């Protein structure tokens, strides 16, 4: 019986956040821990205040230009789960609409395609995330190709400049042409 009690208490410990854990850390039985948690989470006023703060966070969420789709989705889903845990009835379609509205402008094309071609009420949030991640990978692949192409072009143009000047200018007497078009050697 003691073993079962310890397992139950351990399971409760594993299922709470740090703030709740601090409250129940001194509980010696699972019933005592559960009673503390009910008191902690059961206060309607606290839940309402917490829910208002979460709603505000949800509304102002905006993807940063440097943020990946998976990072942004994780942030949104984390807030959505907290809202639901505090009693908010938040439908997936509202979450999807929020995500599509708040994506960075580089996703405008895919957002329009998704809104036109797919029924937002039928698909799961994860399916949208998959579509957006595939698009993001295509964008990254194209930009990597452009970066490599630009680097090679720069190297090629610098090599062409060196060969047209007769190679690198190091170690030679410097010659310069002034405004008058004359050439003079430095002493």
């Amino acid at each position: 019986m003691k073993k079962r009690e310890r397992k139950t208490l351990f399971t409760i410990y594993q299922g709470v956040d740090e703030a709740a854990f601090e409250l129940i850390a001194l509980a010696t039985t699972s019933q005592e821990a559960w009673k503390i948690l009910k008191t902690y989470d059961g206060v309607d006023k606290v839940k309402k205040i917490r829910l208002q703060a979460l709603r505000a966070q949800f509304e102002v969420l905006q993807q940063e230009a440097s943020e990946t789709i998976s990072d942004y989705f994780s942030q949104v889903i984390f807030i959505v789960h907290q809202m639901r845990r505090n009693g908010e009835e938040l439908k997936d379609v509202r979450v999807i609409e929020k995500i599509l509205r708040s994506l960075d402008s580089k996703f405008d094309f895919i957002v329009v395609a998704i809104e036109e071609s797919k029924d937002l009420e039928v698909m799961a949030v994860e399916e949208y995330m998959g579509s957006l991640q595939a698009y993001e990978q295509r964008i990254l692949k194209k930009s990597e190709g452009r970066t490599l192409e630009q680097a090679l072009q720069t190297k090629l143009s610098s090599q062409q400049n060196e060969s047209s000047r007769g190679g690198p200018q190091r170690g030679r007497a410097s010659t310069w042409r002034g405004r008058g078009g004359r050439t003079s050697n430095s002493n």
Side-chain angles (χ1 to χ4, degrees):
M1 200 61 160
K2 284 184 179 184
K3 189 175 184 180
R4 178 181 266 169
E5 175 63 30
R6 287 184 184 145
K7 278 186 178 182
T8 305
L9 191 57
F10 178 76
T11 304
I12 292 172
Y13 286 159
Q14 295 299 310
V16 297
D17 60 2
E18 289 181 39
F21 179 76
E22 288 180 21
L23 293 173
I24 63 171
L26 298 176
T28 55
T29 66
S30 58
Q31 291 85 7
E32 186 181 343
W34 193 249
K35 186 178 178 181
I36 293 169
L37 285 175
K38 278 180 153 181
T39 306
Y40 171 72
D41 262 348
V43 179
D44 288 337
K45 198 172 194 177
V46 173
K47 275 187 172 183
K48 286 179 183 178
I49 292 169
R50 198 177 305 146
L51 196 52
Q52 285 297 333
L54 291 168
R55 284 178 186 146
Q57 280 182 318
F58 180 75
E59 291 305 318
V60 298
L61 276 176
Q62 201 67 25
Q63 184 190 21
E64 301 293 326
S66 61
E67 194 172 27
T68 65
I69 285 293
S70 60
D71 290 342
Y72 183 62
F73 264 80
S74 296
Q75 186 180 4
V76 171
I77 297 303
F78 177 75
I79 292 173
V80 166
H81 285 309
Q82 284 186 330
M83 290 172 70
R84 287 179 176 159
R85 195 174 81 207
N86 284 289
E88 181 78 8
E89 293 181 20
L90 194 60
K91 294 185 179 183
D92 280 350
V93 70
R94 184 169 169 219
V95 175
I96 292 166
E97 289 170 346
K98 168 61 181 170
I99 290 170
L100 294 178
R101 259 192 335 266
S102 61
L103 289 174
D104 187 56
S105 62
K106 66 185 172 191
F107 293 99
D108 286 348
F109 295 114
I110 191 70
V111 168
V112 170
I114 287 172
E115 289 175 338
E116 292 294 322
S117 66
K118 299 183 180 187
D119 185 6
L120 298 179
E121 304 225 4
V122 175
M123 287 181 67
V125 175
E126 291 78 18
E127 291 179 71
Y128 288 103
M129 186 173 99
S131 296
L132 291 167
Q133 281 179 324
Y135 182 75
E136 181 180 50
Q137 290 302 315
R138 289 187 68 162
I139 291 172
L140 290 174
K141 192 174 183 180
K142 285 182 180 181
S143 70
E144 285 174 4
R146 284 189 212 125
T147 305
L148 179 61
E149 185 178 315
Q150 289 171 347
L152 291 173
Q153 186 66 31
T154 303
K155 183 167 176 80
L156 180 64
S157 65
S158 70
Q159 286 175 348
Q160 288 174 347
N161 287 340
E162 284 181 8
S163 66
S164 69
R165 289 186 302 202
Q169 298 294 322
R170 292 185 197 126
R172 294 178 25 174
S174 63
T175 304
W176 61 277
R177 197 175 290 260
R179 286 188 189 170
R182 289 176 284 161
T183 305
S184 66
N185 289 332
S186 61
N187 296 351

